[in-house]
Structure formats: C-alpha cells, structure tokens
Amino acid sequence: MKQPIPFSEPPALCGLPSPYYNQSHIAWRRACRSFIDENLTQHAIDWERDGFVPDNVFQKFASANMLVPSLPAPLPVEWLKKLGVHNVLDTVKVENWDYIHTAIYTDEITRSGLQGPAASLTTGYSYAIPPILKFGSQQLQERFLPDLLLGKKRICIAITEPNTGSDVAGIQTIATKTSDGKQYVVNGTKKWITNGLWSSYATMAVRTSGPGPAGLSLLLVPLLDQPGVSMRKIKVAGHLTSGTTFIELDEVRVPVENLIGQEGQGTKYTMTNFNHERLTIAIGVTRQARVALAAAFEYCLQREAFGKTLMEQPVVRHRLAKAGALLESQWAWIEQFVYQMTKLGKVEADV
C-alpha cells in the first residue's frame, strides 16, 4: 500500500490507533469518500474555475440522502423516517448517526481544498433547516420540512447585513405586522448570503420590535418569485461557486405563521444555531489546511535549488514540521470536541 504524503490525511487514516472511530465510522468514511470523490471532488477545481456547480449535482446529493449528513447530530429521525429516509448510502441508519459521522462527512466534502463547491450544496441545508426543526411550530414544519429535507426546495440562512456581521444585535432589517395582524411586511437588505440565488426560502433574522437583541426574531421568508425580493450574485474570493448573494427586501409580505418560534427570541435561536455552523467550519478549514500543507510537502520533495531538493534544507524541514505540529494539534482538539458532542445531551451540546 502506497504511503500517503505526510499530513495529507488524519492520523487515524494513516494506520495510527484512535479511540474515537468504531466500525460504523470506518465504513461510513469509505462509502462517503467514494460517493463524494465521484460526484464532487474530482470536478471541484473545474467548477470553481467556471464559477458554477451544475444543478444536477445538488439533485444527485439529495436523491442519495447525502444532504442529510450536513444537519446537526442527532438527526431528526422521526421526520426522516416519515419521509422514507432510513439510512445514508445504505451504510449508517439515521437513528445511529452521531457527530463523528458528521465530522467525517464535513472533512470529506472539503477534500478538494475548496470550500465553494461544497458550500454550494450544503450551507443552506445545514444552517437554515435546524432552526425550523428546533423551534418551528408543528404547522410550520408540516408545511416546509418535507420539501426541504428531501431537497425538492432549497433554503438559505440570512443573518448578515451590509453593516452587521457578527454583531447580530445590530440587525436593521425590519418586519412590521399589518394592522390585521395576519402578515409581516419586511424591509431591508441581507449581504453575503450563501446559496441565496437559488433558494426558495430564507431563515431570516429580522427586527420585530425595539433595538438590541430582544427585538430580533427569526422568520421564514419566501425568496424566489416573491414580490418585493430582488437578488444578485456577489463574487467573493474562494467561494466563487457558493451562490453568495445580496438580497433586497422591499415591502415583502410574509404570513405570521412563518414566524420561527417566538417573537423576540431570534438572537437566542441564532446563537444556538452558530454552534453547529462554527464546528463544521472548523472541520472544513482544517481539511483545507491539510490539503495546503500536503501540497507544500510534495513540492518540497520535488523542487531543487542549490543542487539539492528543498526538503534537504534543514530550515524547510523545520517549517514543515512546525506547520504539521500545529495542524495535528488543531485536528486533535476538534476530534475531542466532536467526541464530547456524542456524549453530551442535545441541550448541553447546544449551550
């Protein structure tokens, strides 16, 4: 068996023992890599260069239930089984899914070293559906989850605004109730919204009352073909294929039944949602760092200068070793977090 380039794979894939991975995780890694290599990784660079992932790729992932792994663990088993989804790639039953399976999926889907193609498929699904699952009314779930979970409709998470990023409490998009109390009228702008261009809906943070965090709510806002909504693509470095979008909302009418949870709880819901988002981002960028370091290592083995390869220069070996130590320390820390998520209750893990 050919030895991998140093740092190109996590230690557990290089034959080193690990306390975290059982046979289910190992089988899942094998099936997951095969599917993603065939349907995404081998094409990722060309698609990113073109700035577009073909529409049929999303449908391939959806029909294979390969969007489901991007949701937080444990999976919404009751809903998935109601919709006929009992396993993923005939390898892992949905009721046996844990956060280590999620981490493997996230690591594998960014193995190209690019975030854009993977983000084009999973970002909205991964971050915009969970608030509906966690906080949405039964009626709201019944109306929207079947199409969203099966990938028949797409959705995005719309928090950021031109003047508001991590400071969620500063959101200025306003949702005002009509005099009859039956609708919200939404006005404002959202910026850097991944997957917005092709999303039928947005899980959107809006201001329903006064200033500060207590005035925010989450609203499921229709986007495509909705009067008052205009969207345009934003070109961003490193995410050319992810459908980053600028959204303008002008007197957009939304039924009050589309409120997610309770008015005034939007900040709490958003911060809870960030936990899964930040963890999956950490896993993805660590894989990107791994791809970059492995590429540098391979180059140093081949490139010659002053009559010898760069790898024969002590200073180069030291730099690579130091970078590798930092990389593997970070990955060990992430694995520890992920393992803890499998042992904590859902409420504890979301704190």
Side-chain angles (χ1 to χ4, degrees), residues 157-196:
I157 185 81
I159 308 295
T160 310
E161 298 181 357
N163 297 309
T164 306
S166 299
D167 179 21
V168 174
I171 280 172
Q172 298 175 19
T173 297
I174 297 174
T176 307
K177 273 186 181 177
T178 54
S179 57
D180 60 9
K182 293 182 178 180
Q183 293 180 316
Y184 289 101
V185 180
V186 183
N187 287 280
T189 55
K190 296 291 179 179
K191 192 174 184 182
W192 298 296
I193 306 305
T194 307
N195 298 173

Side-chain angles (χ1 to χ4, degrees), residues 250-268:
D250 181 17
E251 297 291 298
V252 178
R253 292 181 172 267
V254 181
V256 293
E257 291 81 8
N258 283 27
L259 179 69
I260 299 173
Q262 300 177 340
E263 275 198 6
Q265 295 297 304
T267 302
K268 174 185 174 182

Side-chain angles (χ1 to χ4, degrees), residues 291-340:
V291 172
L293 181 55
F297 202 105
E298 185 175 28
Y299 178 79
C300 290
L301 287 169
Q302 299 171 356
R303 176 74 164 88
E304 292 188 1
F306 306 108
K308 60 177 71 174
T309 65
L310 292 181
M311 192 60 74
E312 294 177 84
Q313 303 286 355
V315 67
V316 172
R317 295 198 301 273
H318 177 266
R319 281 295 184 92
L320 291 172
K322 184 176 181 180
L326 291 171
L327 171 67
E328 298 303 355
S329 296
Q330 178 164 310
W331 181 244
W333 199 17
I334 288 173
E335 282 184 315
Q336 183 181 26
F337 278 134
V338 171
Y339 174 76
Q340 289 169 352

Side-chain angles (χ1 to χ4, degrees), residues 85-315:
V85 179
H86 297 277
N87 60 70
V88 185
L89 296 184
D90 293 323
T91 304
V92 186
K93 293 180 179 180
V94 292
E95 63 267 29
N96 294 335
W97 190 272
D98 64 25
Y99 241 111
I100 296 176
H101 293 104
T102 305
I104 291 169
Y105 173 85
T106 307
D107 182 53
E108 289 295 327
I109 206 168
T110 47
R111 244 180 98 240
S112 67
L114 300 169
Q115 284 282 359
S120 76
L121 303 173
T122 63
T123 298
Y125 196 100
S126 179
Y127 306 150
I129 293 178
I132 304 172
L133 285 165
K134 291 178 185 177
F135 308 114
S137 67
Q138 186 64 32
Q139 177 257 17
L140 187 73
Q141 292 183 9
E142 294 285 352
R143 285 169 58 207
F144 293 103
L145 283 181
D147 282 349
L148 292 174
L149 288 172
L150 294 177
K152 294 179 180 179
K153 295 284 182 69
R154 302 188 66 170
I155 190 170
C156 62
I157 185 81
I159 308 295
T160 310
E161 298 181 357
N163 297 309
T164 306
S166 299
D167 179 21
V168 174
I171 280 172
Q172 298 175 19
T173 297
I174 297 174
T176 307
K177 273 186 181 177
T178 54
S179 57
D180 60 9
K182 293 182 178 180
Q183 293 180 316
Y184 289 101
V185 180
V186 183
N187 287 280
T189 55
K190 296 291 179 179
K191 192 174 184 182
W192 298 296
I193 306 305
T194 307
N195 298 173
L197 280 175
W198 44 71
S199 291
S200 297
Y201 312 104
T203 295
M204 186 177 294
V206 296
R207 187 163 297 284
T208 50
S209 59
L216 294 182
S217 303
L218 285 186
L219 196 61
L220 192 61
V221 178
L223 294 180
L224 289 180
D225 303 320
Q226 178 72 9
V229 175
S230 62
M231 298 190 286
R232 65 177 184 270
K233 185 176 182 178
I234 305 172
K235 287 189 176 182
V236 290
H239 277 257
L240 296 179
T241 53
S242 63
T244 308
T245 307
F246 187 88
I247 303 175
E248 295 178 277
L249 305 125
D250 181 17
E251 297 291 298
V252 178
R253 292 181 172 267
V254 181
V256 293
E257 291 81 8
N258 283 27
L259 179 69
I260 299 173
Q262 300 177 340
E263 275 198 6
Q265 295 297 304
T267 302
K268 174 185 174 182
Y269 298 161
T270 300
M271 292 303 162
T272 300
N273 206 48
F274 278 165
N275 292 334
H276 174 66
E277 180 177 335
R278 298 307 190 247
L279 181 56
T280 54
I281 290 171
I283 296 166
V285 297
T286 303
R287 170 55 82 167
Q288 286 186 286
R290 191 176 294 285
V291 172
L293 181 55
F297 202 105
E298 185 175 28
Y299 178 79
C300 290
L301 287 169
Q302 299 171 356
R303 176 74 164 88
E304 292 188 1
F306 306 108
K308 60 177 71 174
T309 65
L310 292 181
M311 192 60 74
E312 294 177 84
Q313 303 286 355
V315 67

